[in-house]
Amino acid sequence: MRNVIGMVLTGLGAFLLIMAVLVRFYVAPRLIAAPTDVYQVTRLRADNATYFDAKSVKQVTGATVVATNTVRGDVTSSHGDIAVWDSATMIQDVTRGTTIEIQNQRVAFDRRTARLTTCCGASVDGDVSAPQSGVGLFWPVNATKKSKQVYDPATRRAWPAVYAGQERVHGILAWRFVQHIPYTKVEGTQLPDVPGDLLGRGKGGPAVPVDRYYQADATYWVDPRTGAPIDQEQKVLSTLQPKSGPGRLVVGQMDLRMTPESQRSLRHTSSDGAAKIDLLRTAVPIGTAAVGAVLLAAGAFAGRARRRRPPGSPQRGEPLATTR
């Protein structure tokens, strides 16, 4: 009977050790991925901002602007390793109650590598022909300090975000990534002609065709435990320039910083994700392996006890030898 118990304990121990390896190196990498049912609201605020109010045909200065971004996961369109998220950003002058701009983006990306892909109706402001590449709304879980190509919907291309050191953000030692978008002509937009006086070309001048230009400096603070940004700043400048000749109109100049409420929300979400990742990568494999090792040791002990029985000793159920 003891031999049977030893074999059972040894088998269970070996099974648990194998399970620990599988959980750590096979199950965890497949379960740790971007969710498909995400819902997240974040806000960035800019004080002393400048923008062009198209309704009043005036340039507004010293404004308080808030950019509210809402991200929703499209569960029905997501499939397999691909997640689909919809993003809407409303930029408003909160003092005057003016809506400055509304930006929409639909992204499809690999749930583990975060790489954007062209499927499932991915678009920028409804334009499905807009190419999307690099990293978008979701950053890869396996955080590294390597530069990342982060997609910018304004210029419709990806720009490098370079690792620039560590900083503590609300108790988390975060990695800081800096992205510089140079003064770039925005393609794919149809703009009406702009009166020359708005461009600084003198009053009474004729309206002229213009192009839009955009530049930005963005800073992302990333939680290395999850790879998720937990804070963000953006300094943006958007202008209109004549296709030929002098002149320029600033349509947006703002230094946007994430609000403390949004910082706390992202920190909470990231910490919750870090706990789940740690459970799958560390706690469950180590606990399972520890129990498996104990069972293996118990099985080995039972087996040795069986082998140490003195030679010639009767087995259970055998009659004792007698002499006549």
Side-chain angles (χ1 to χ4, degrees):
M1 182 68 177
R2 183 173 294 176
N3 188 40
V4 173
I5 293 174
M7 292 176 63
V8 171
L9 291 175
T10 300
L12 283 175
F15 173 76
L16 289 177
L17 286 176
I18 294 172
M19 282 300 300
V21 175
L22 287 175
V23 169
R24 174 62 182 85
F25 297 102
Y26 182 81
V27 177
R30 282 157 178 77
L31 291 181
I32 299 173
T36 58
D37 58 348
V38 67
Y39 177 80
Q40 177 179 286
V41 178
T42 55
R43 292 179 174 87
L44 281 76
R45 176 188 173 106
D47 295 315
N48 198 30
T50 298
Y51 69 92
F52 180 72
D53 185 1
K55 289 185 178 180
S56 62
V57 198
K58 292 181 180 179
Q59 192 175 67
V60 179
T61 60
T64 298
V65 172
V66 172
T68 302
N69 175 250
T70 303
V71 175
R72 291 183 176 88
D74 186 344
V75 179
T76 57
S77 297
S78 302
H79 58 278
D81 293 334
I82 300 299
V84 181
W85 291 1
D86 290 306
S87 168
T89 302
M90 180 175 289
I91 305 173
Q92 295 175 300
D93 181 338
V94 294
T95 303
R96 297 170 177 80
T98 303
T99 298
I100 302 171
E101 187 177 4
I102 298 177
Q103 303 166 349
N104 292 291
Q105 184 182 9
R106 181 176 174 88
V107 299
F109 60 95
D110 188 286
R111 297 179 62 200
R112 294 172 184 84
T113 67
R115 290 291 178 185
L116 293 169
T117 183
T118 54
C119 80
C120 316
S123 62
V124 177
D125 289 327
D127 183 3
V128 294
S129 67
Q132 298 189 54
S133 62
V135 173
L137 302 176
F138 179 79
W139 287 43
V141 174
N142 296 318
T144 67
K145 295 180 180 179
K146 293 182 179 179
S147 298
K148 296 170 177 58
Q149 295 290 323
V150 180
Y151 184 76
D152 171 55
T155 55
R156 302 192 177 190
R157 56 169 291 188
W159 302 88
V162 181
Y163 174 76
Q166 301 181 92
E167 290 181 13
R168 194 164 293 278
V169 178
H170 294 293
I172 296 175
L173 190 60
W175 294 350
R176 181 164 53 92
F177 288 84
V178 176
Q179 181 189 48
H180 173 65
I181 301 174
Y183 202 59
T184 303
K185 179 181 175 181
V186 177
E187 304 288 353
T189 57
Q190 297 293 328
L191 300 171
D193 293 353
V194 176
D197 58 328
L198 292 176
L199 297 166
R201 301 178 71 161
K203 291 185 178 181
V208 297
V210 294
D211 291 316
R212 186 166 183 171
Y213 287 80
Y214 178 87
Q215 74 176 48
D217 287 287
T219 304
Y220 304 91
W221 285 267
V222 173
D223 185 348
R225 301 173 302 170
T226 61
I230 56 175
D231 195 6
Q232 183 181 350
E233 290 183 6
Q234 287 186 347
K235 295 181 180 180
V236 301
L237 172 63
S238 179
T239 65
L240 297 179
Q241 291 187 200
K243 291 182 178 293
S244 63
R248 189 177 80 156
L249 171 63
V250 175
V251 294
Q253 186 171 15
M254 2 186 133
D255 185 357
L256 293 158
R257 299 173 183 266
M258 186 167 286
T259 63
E261 295 80 10
S262 294
Q263 291 175 354
R264 286 193 291 269
S265 176
L266 291 183
R267 180 193 61 185
H268 174 76
T269 301
S270 186
S271 294
D272 183 60
K276 294 177 181 178
I277 290 173
D278 185 65
L279 183 68
L280 283 171
R281 285 181 174 172
T282 306
V284 171
I286 289 179
T288 304
V291 174
V294 170
L295 292 178
L296 275 178
F301 177 79
R304 284 197 298 270
R306 168 73 180 175
R307 290 193 295 271
R308 287 175 181 173
R309 185 179 299 278
S313 60
Q315 302 293 324
R316 182 177 294 181
E318 292 181 351
L320 295 175
T322 57
T323 59
R324 295 179 179 236

